[in-house]
Amino acid sequence: MALFDVSGYKSHAGLRGQILGTGVGHLVDRTNQEFAVPVGVDPSGFLKSCSREGGVSIDLNHGTTTLAFKFRHGVIVAVDSRASAGSYIASKEANKVIEINPYLLGTMSGSAADCQYWERLLAKECRLMHKGRASEGWLKRKCTNQCHFHTLRTTAWDIKLYKLRNKQRISVSAASKLLCNMMLGYRGMGLSMGSMIVGWDNKGPGLYYVDDNATRLSGRMFSTGCGSSYAYGVMDSGYREDMTVEEAYELGRRGITHATHRDAYSGGVVNLYHMQEDGWVKVCKEDVSELIHRYRKGMF
Amino acid sequence: MALFDVSGYKSHAGLRGQILGTGVGHLVDRTNQEFAVPVGVDPSGFLKSCSREGGVSIDLNHGTTTLAFKFRHGVIVAVDSRASAGSYIASKEANKVIEINPYLLGTMSGSAADCQYWERLLAKECRLYKLRNKQRISVSAASKLLCNMMLGYRGMGLSMGSMIVGWDNKGPGLYYVDDNATRLSGRMFSTGCGSSYAYGVMDSGYREDMTVEEAYELGRRGITHATHRDAYSGGVVNLYHMQEDGWVKVCKEDVSELIHRYRKGMF
């Protein structure tokens, strides 16, 4: 791989030997791919047992609605705010957008724990890139403190060298690829995350969909979560490439509102963001029950 | 049941005795409810074996999109026309609306065989009702008949999601009936696996005081956008309008042309 050569990649085994010294036996590399899994745990087998009929069934649905679309004046991102644990509403004002930096946003759907963890890790990767602190000693100390995060070690090296060479912000494409590779390492182990990485870089507005299967797609319009079908219907029928900014805000709000109206696992407030050339702005945070009354004025 | 008395219903056993004579052993009544199931077949057991992981899995999804909504000037009914067998498109111009009589319509989603059979049986019962009682059957009663048919074969693997639409003395009527014997009266329904997309479009565009043309457009848009996103829906949009003096078939437009028209401003 080109990146391997450019970045002077060293295999994990070599690195770990340097950083941790010999005799560290509590980490086991799963396969040749060298991603860390705690000893004695077999996530894939455990998950199979959970899906069997009659046994305990862990239902890994993405219980939310998030949407994002590109248009002439940037990218609109809208999410709901309901966090559900089975049929219990754990939070009505959960934050499903992570503000990675002033020009990068990530949305979350699926398991709240997975999303929050991995997207925060992504934010750290992006920040590491930006900071440009290249001293090997500093990096070694950082790595030692979080020695069980293989992904950090590998990518941190790559990013350090990328940043040193290029001294510029990470592109949306690269950020989404980082997240995608993290997912790839833990594939089949039961991660549940559907995310959209939204940003503005040299190539213009960027919108990528990344999920726990390590699917990574660039596109102009996405919606994730179990309320996504309803949002797609609204977005598809109302979308025009040459919308004004206000019309785009309204379309994003409507998409989430009507999805929360029909989907039991979505609700709360609509958090609306607008990604512009000079960064994102948070447009509004409106309660869905008020919005639905406004839209249903002519309805029954 | 009131309907039993009114309609002169005779139990199956009595009728069968008259028609077939004694000694006919190849039909067995399942329970006291006297619904006929062929001998030696255990549908519920068979279905359980089909759902087991690793074995053959028969996926009983309702692969279609149909919608109907009431508004000031009657009821709009819109359906797609794709019949799929797994991933194979069996027909691109399937007829998913059964015209029971000039003032009653039934939509079909789910298993084509089940829908066609039971709704045709419903049409027969409605005609018999009219002949016996010298007045048209109400939408409520028609949907109840269908619901009771479903109830008799509950758990045996029927797959049908239907909307019974009509106009009777009480005004426009819209009922949703499905294979679980759920029967709901309402102002707006959509069935099939493309229904979520249609709901999004209908919810955001609906107003009770729409003009007739706006309502047609909403019905068309709902089906069109659903076929755009759902793999199991497609073909043409069949649009009906239920009015006080009966239904009219409004149009039959190809979805690919409609989506181009709607997406003029899109990418």
Side-chain angles (χ1 to χ4, degrees), chain A residues 61-81:
Chain A
N61 286 327
H62 296 192
T64 188
T65 312
T66 70
L67 64 86
F69 58 88
K70 283 190 203 173
F71 72 120
R72 186 167 292 181
H73 304 285
V75 193
I76 298 291
V77 181
V79 303
D80 76 311
S81 70

Side-chain angles (χ1 to χ4, degrees), chain B residues 238-257:
Chain B
N238 286 307
L239 190 63
Y240 291 76
H241 180 190
M242 179 64 68
Q243 297 164 332
E244 188 161 4
D245 49 0
W247 54 261
V248 293
K249 180 158 185 181
V250 176
C251 73
K252 175 179 170 144
E253 292 187 46
D254 193 302
V255 150
S256 28
E257 286 165 36

Side-chain angles (χ1 to χ4, degrees), chain B residues 17-151:
Chain B
Q18 288 179 22
I19 294 168
L20 298 172
T22 51
V24 173
H26 61 279
L27 289 174
V28 169
D29 273 346
R30 191 165 68 94
T31 64
N32 296 339
Q33 284 164 328
E34 306 194 271
F35 286 98
V37 174
V39 172
V41 163
D42 174 23
S44 323
F46 169 69
L47 281 173
K48 277 206 197 86
S49 70
C50 290
S51 319
R52 214 166 291 150
E53 268 187 44
V56 168
S57 169
I58 294 185
D59 208 15
L60 295 175
N61 285 328
H62 297 193
T64 189
T65 312
T66 71
L67 64 86
F69 56 89
K70 284 189 204 175
F71 71 120
R72 185 166 293 182
H73 304 287
V75 192
I76 297 292
V77 181
V79 301
D80 76 312
S81 71
R82 177 172 291 183
S84 43
S87 58
Y88 173 67
I89 297 177
S91 166
K92 53 183 167 73
E93 286 194 30
N95 190 10
K96 300 191 187 183
V97 174
I98 179 168
E99 299 158 1
I100 296 173
N101 58 47
Y103 50 92
L104 256 190
L105 290 172
T107 67
M108 312 184 197
S109 72
S111 155
D114 285 335
C115 288
Q116 284 175 358
Y117 176 77
W118 291 105
E119 296 201 21
R120 215 167 137 77
L121 196 64
L122 174 67
K124 186 183 71 171
E125 297 288 332
C126 292
R127 176 99 181 109
L128 281 174
Y129 181 96
K130 183 169 183 200
L131 289 172
R132 290 188 182 113
N133 302 281
K134 296 204 193 330
Q135 76 176 16
R136 300 189 323 207
I137 191 170
S138 66
V139 188
S140 173
S143 59
K144 197 119 194 186
L145 280 174
L146 185 61
C147 173
N148 288 338
M149 294 176 201
M150 292 299 109
L151 207 48

Side-chain angles (χ1 to χ4, degrees), chain A residues 51-53 220-221 229-230 232-234 236-237 239-242 254 258 261-262 298-300, chain B residues 51-53 187-188 196-197 199-201 203-204 206-209 221 225 228-229 265-267:
Chain A
S51 318
R52 215 166 288 149
E53 266 188 45
R220 300 196 59 115
M221 179 195 283
S229 344
Y230 307 105
Y232 270 128
V234 176
D236 278 345
S237 62
Y239 182 91
R240 282 185 344 273
E241 207 274 340
D242 58 353
R254 270 185 170 270
H258 287 293
H261 177 56
R262 288 284 175 187
M299 290 180 89
F300 18 87
Chain B
S51 319
R52 214 166 291 150
E53 268 187 44
R187 299 196 59 113
M188 178 195 283
S196 340
Y197 307 105
Y199 270 127
V201 176
D203 278 344
S204 61
Y206 182 91
R207 282 186 344 275
E208 207 274 338
D209 58 353
R221 271 185 168 268
H225 288 293
H228 177 57
R229 288 283 175 186
M266 288 180 89
F267 16 89

Side-chain angles (χ1 to χ4, degrees), chain A residues 85-104:
Chain A
S87 59
Y88 174 67
I89 297 177
S91 166
K92 53 182 167 78
E93 284 192 35
N95 189 11
K96 299 189 186 182
V97 174
I98 178 168
E99 300 158 1
I100 295 174
N101 58 46
Y103 51 92
L104 256 189

Side-chain angles (χ1 to χ4, degrees), chain B residues 144-239:
Chain B
K144 197 119 194 186
L145 280 174
L146 185 61
C147 173
N148 288 338
M149 294 176 201
M150 292 299 109
L151 207 48
Y153 291 88
R154 195 171 185 181
M156 296 200 207
L158 291 184
S159 169
M160 184 200 80
S162 163
M163 293 180 294
I164 305 299
V165 180
W167 197 302
D168 55 21
N169 314 349
K170 302 191 202 93
L174 172 56
Y175 285 83
Y176 168 76
V177 181
D178 80 1
D179 47 283
N180 293 322
T182 301
R183 172 174 165 271
L184 300 167
S185 170
R187 299 196 59 113
M188 178 195 283
F189 289 109
S190 177
T191 70
C193 52
S195 64
S196 340
Y197 307 105
Y199 270 127
V201 176
M202 277 204 296
D203 278 344
S204 61
Y206 182 91
R207 282 186 344 275
E208 207 274 338
D209 58 353
M210 281 185 292
T211 66
V212 169
E213 275 307 316
E214 288 173 343
Y216 292 169
E217 191 62 9
L218 188 64
R220 264 191 296 256
R221 271 185 168 268
I223 296 293
T224 304
H225 288 293
T227 59
H228 177 57
R229 288 283 175 186
D230 176 31
Y232 294 107
S233 305
V236 301
V237 179
N238 286 307
L239 190 63

Side-chain angles (χ1 to χ4, degrees), chain A residues 69 71 76 243-253 272:
Chain A
F69 58 88
F71 72 120
I76 298 291
M243 282 185 292
T244 66
V245 170
E246 273 309 314
E247 287 173 344
Y249 291 169
E250 192 61 10
L251 187 65
R253 263 190 299 254
L272 189 64

